[in-house]
Amino acid sequence: QRLVQSANEALRTFFKMNNDEDAKLLFRSLNDSSRTAETYIIMVGGLVEKEPWSGEISQLYQSAVQSKCLTEELAFLAMKSVVFSKLDGKMRVLRDIIADTSSVLNISPEEFNSSRYWQLKRTLGYRFAKLLMWWRNLSSSWEKELKLSVRQLKQGRQGGHVIDEDALRCIVKFAGHNQRDDINQGVPVSDGPSEKDQVIQNKERKYGIKLIREVVVDAHQTTLYNSPAFVDDVAIGFCSLKAYDECIKFVKEMHSRDLIKLKQSTYEHAIYAAEEKKDLKMVDELIRNMEDGCSLNIK
């Protein structure tokens, strides 16, 4: 065990010193019993942006599979290498890696892709993540992302855990999307001409507001709650869905916190909400808050 730990530490040191060749020599000198999952992760992690998939990394990956040292972390490093390479047939190789990893985790490749979608997107990029999900129409994939995020939100709440921050962002950006003005952020679409249209609109707005509320609660446990961009998106969402009281209350609450400096646009959405409510006293208060908050930002 000590020999294995010493070898792994030596490998890390070689890579920190950009001494890749000595790292390779040391790895080759190790017998199978001295190579652990961590050993393969160190090797592939050290070479991932330097070596093409078709060379050393492919051999390391195959050796890890044969030695039963394949882990999820190693799989993501290997897939990153595939994406960086000039290899033909990248999707086939990516699907093979996911099939291998899913087998180790005892889940289906489909479950792997959906449950790790946001990590796949961050690691492999927009295009490859969506192709792995078999989302052929990339222009409408945001709708599929929203459905996936809502499903994960429900599963997370049932299981008592907070979902990926990118999924939370997606919900805030697109919840109730049919009732949002595509051009003017934070502005609702006009009410439909018939009572039936308006009933549908109100139903979609209420559902969108409910989702954003749930995300805000969960965001308390993440870094998002200190993100001015996320706060701005929440204000936009509430305002777009005519949740004017919610928008004002949320912006005032966030303004009162010392840990975050809000964007000017965030105050402007709340001011718009107060104007729609014809609450001139609140408009004046929010303008003062904006002047105070934005002057602090300049300092």
Side-chain angles (χ1 to χ4, degrees):
Q1 188 65 30
R2 286 185 179 179
L3 176 61
V4 171
Q5 290 177 348
S6 297
N8 287 343
E9 286 304 317
L11 289 171
R12 287 194 183 93
T13 301
F14 284 140
F15 282 122
K16 283 179 183 177
M17 297 171 62
N18 291 318
N19 195 345
D20 297 358
E21 291 306 314
D22 280 347
K24 292 177 185 179
L25 286 172
L26 174 57
F27 176 82
R28 289 168 190 150
S29 72
L30 299 173
N31 57 38
D32 289 344
S33 63
S34 298
R35 296 175 181 177
T36 64
E38 185 181 6
T39 310
Y40 285 101
I41 289 169
I42 295 167
M43 286 298 298
V44 175
L47 298 172
V48 68
E49 295 184 19
K50 304 171 186 176
E51 297 271 351
W53 165 257
S54 57
E56 191 89 20
I57 293 180
S58 176
Q59 295 172 19
L60 285 166
Y61 173 79
Q62 294 300 333
S63 177
V65 172
Q66 292 166 8
S67 304
K68 300 189 184 305
C69 289
L70 177 60
T71 64
E72 192 170 333
E73 183 178 356
L74 179 61
F76 271 95
L77 288 170
M79 287 191 285
K80 185 176 181 180
S81 170
V82 171
V83 170
F84 282 167
S85 73
K86 296 180 180 180
L87 181 73
D88 290 330
K90 291 180 183 181
M91 285 304 302
R92 177 183 56 78
V93 179
L94 290 175
R95 291 195 190 281
D96 286 345
I97 293 172
I98 288 171
D100 291 339
T101 313
S102 300
S103 178
V104 171
L105 298 173
N106 198 28
I107 60 176
S108 69
E110 292 75 20
E111 183 180 349
F112 181 93
N113 290 337
S114 61
S115 62
R116 278 94 169 151
Y117 170 76
W118 301 101
Q119 187 179 354
L120 287 167
K121 184 178 178 181
R122 288 190 294 269
T123 305
L124 310 182
Y126 182 88
R127 177 172 169 268
F128 285 107
K130 287 167 180 55
L131 290 175
L132 285 170
M133 295 289 288
W134 299 101
W135 295 347
R136 296 302 186 187
N137 187 353
L138 299 185
S139 63
S140 64
S141 59
W142 65 268
E143 294 182 71
K144 295 182 175 67
E145 284 190 340
L146 177 59
K147 289 180 181 178
L148 175 64
S149 299
V150 171
R151 187 166 70 248
Q152 290 176 343
L153 180 66
K154 291 179 180 177
Q155 291 170 346
R157 295 198 137 224
Q158 289 170 356
H161 65 270
V162 177
I163 63 172
D164 194 290
E165 290 186 7
D166 285 342
L168 296 176
R169 284 194 189 95
C170 178
I171 293 172
V172 166
K173 278 181 171 290
F174 297 114
H177 56 89
N178 287 334
Q179 305 310 318
R180 303 186 185 211
D181 189 306
D182 290 335
I183 299 173
N184 302 302
Q185 282 195 327
V187 177
V189 298
S190 301
D191 288 339
S194 70
E195 185 177 344
K196 182 179 178 181
D197 291 333
Q198 292 173 23
V199 168
I200 293 171
Q201 285 182 292
N202 287 334
K203 183 178 179 181
E204 290 183 356
R205 284 172 180 146
K206 286 179 181 178
Y207 183 58
I209 293 164
K210 174 181 175 292
L211 289 174
I212 295 174
R213 283 179 187 151
E214 291 178 359
V215 167
V216 169
V217 170
D218 285 7
H220 279 75
Q221 303 176 58
T222 73
T223 61
L224 291 178
Y225 210 61
N226 292 322
S227 164
F230 174 77
V231 172
D232 196 51
D233 285 338
V234 171
I236 290 170
F238 279 142
C239 212
S240 298
L241 301 176
K242 292 192 174 183
Y244 297 135
D245 287 330
E246 301 256 15
C247 178
I248 294 167
K249 179 182 177 183
F250 178 72
V251 173
K252 286 181 66 179
E253 177 188 333
M254 300 308 291
H255 171 77
S256 68
R257 299 175 70 227
D258 294 331
L259 294 174
I260 183 171
K261 304 304 177 187
L262 305 184
K263 292 183 174 185
Q264 180 174 329
S265 58
T266 304
Y267 294 105
E268 290 170 348
H269 297 311
I271 292 168
Y272 173 85
E275 288 173 343
E276 289 296 298
K277 287 173 55 64
K278 299 185 173 12
D279 188 341
L280 299 183
K281 184 177 178 181
M282 182 57 67
V283 169
D284 290 340
E285 180 183 342
L286 288 166
I287 289 173
R288 287 194 300 273
N289 287 348
M290 180 173 68
E291 291 171 347
D292 176 46
C294 291
S295 66
L296 287 172
N297 285 342
I298 292 171
K299 292 176 185 178

